[in-house]
Amino acid sequence: AWDFDAVFDPVRALTYEGVDLGMVRWGWMLDIVGYYFLLLPVMLVLHDMGGEGSSLKRTSATACGIGYLISGSMGAAMLAASTGIFERYATGDAMTQAAELAVFLNMQEIVFYGIWNILCMSLFAVWGLTMGAVLRQHERLLGLGLQVIGLAAAIDVFGTLLHLEWLSMTGLFTYLFGFPIWCAFLGVRWMRAK
């Protein structure tokens, strides 16, 4: 059964009994493909949509977008590689379990708060706000939607930096749920245009 709280509670995730580590590993690998790599063509097409004007701004924003893809994928890859911690925790004595828990907590904090909520979301915010403005010239609502999601990413960053969990979670969940919906609408719109 899916335990949503285990996603945000490393202790609960690590101590959860009967975890299929293959599924955990594949879940993080699918995160790399679905949330990051599939976005690369979109970033490149949006970069080319702007025409000749403001090329430096579009190129800089696209570089931030690609940085988002790379750093986000690195975080998910680190978590995919962490399944050995689960194995050692499950079979270890109390001292081993305490050590593995400390390692897992540190890894989670580095990935979730450092890589994803500060670095990735900062890069995504720049890309979303900038390229949303470019897209608005061609697709008004899709461009505005991307800017709203970019703003949500910025809100997550500020909430994380200021240790305001309610603010961070507001931005994060707007991004987590809004971005796949935006991508689906973009895909439908581009398919109809072909």
Side-chain angles (χ1 to χ4, degrees):
W2 174 253
D3 185 352
F4 189 77
D5 293 330
V7 174
F8 294 99
D9 183 355
V11 175
R12 188 172 185 152
L14 191 59
T15 59
Y16 207 81
E17 291 188 25
V19 172
D20 182 343
L21 295 178
M23 293 299 286
V24 170
R25 193 174 298 113
W26 273 106
W28 290 120
M29 297 307 291
L30 289 173
D31 185 48
I32 293 170
V33 173
Y35 239 89
Y36 299 107
F37 285 176
L38 289 179
L39 192 56
L40 183 60
V42 172
M43 289 184 174
L44 297 176
V45 168
L46 287 180
H47 177 267
D48 289 343
M49 276 182 107
E52 295 301 318
S54 301
S55 174
L56 179 61
K57 182 170 74 172
R58 283 193 333 274
T59 300
S60 299
T62 301
C64 286
I66 292 170
Y68 159 82
L69 300 179
I70 293 169
S71 57
S73 296
M74 285 174 43
M78 287 174 68
L79 293 172
S82 73
T83 54
I85 296 171
F86 285 79
E87 292 169 347
R88 289 185 296 276
Y89 183 90
T91 60
D93 59 17
M95 188 182 305
T96 300
Q97 288 181 335
E100 295 298 337
L101 179 59
V103 169
F104 190 65
L105 287 171
N106 285 329
M107 179 183 285
Q108 285 272 81
E109 195 158 312
I110 289 166
V111 171
F112 276 73
Y113 299 109
I115 295 174
W116 283 347
N117 289 78
I118 296 175
L119 178 60
C120 279
M121 294 304 261
S122 295
L123 294 168
F124 184 88
V126 171
W127 177 78
L129 291 167
T130 305
M131 297 313 289
V134 170
L135 184 57
R136 280 178 70 177
Q137 298 169 10
H138 306 278
E139 298 283 343
R140 188 176 187 292
L141 289 177
L142 284 171
L144 182 61
L146 183 55
Q147 287 184 304
V148 167
I149 297 165
L151 180 61
I155 289 169
D156 177 31
V157 171
F158 286 116
T160 300
L161 291 172
L162 298 172
H163 300 284
L164 297 173
E165 186 176 359
W166 66 269
L167 185 62
S168 174
M169 288 294 138
T170 300
L172 178 63
F173 282 110
T174 301
Y175 158 82
L176 286 175
F177 293 110
F179 192 49
I181 293 168
W182 178 85
C183 287
F185 276 107
L186 180 70
V188 168
R189 181 70 182 105
W190 283 359
M191 284 179 16
R192 286 184 180 168
K194 294 288 177 188

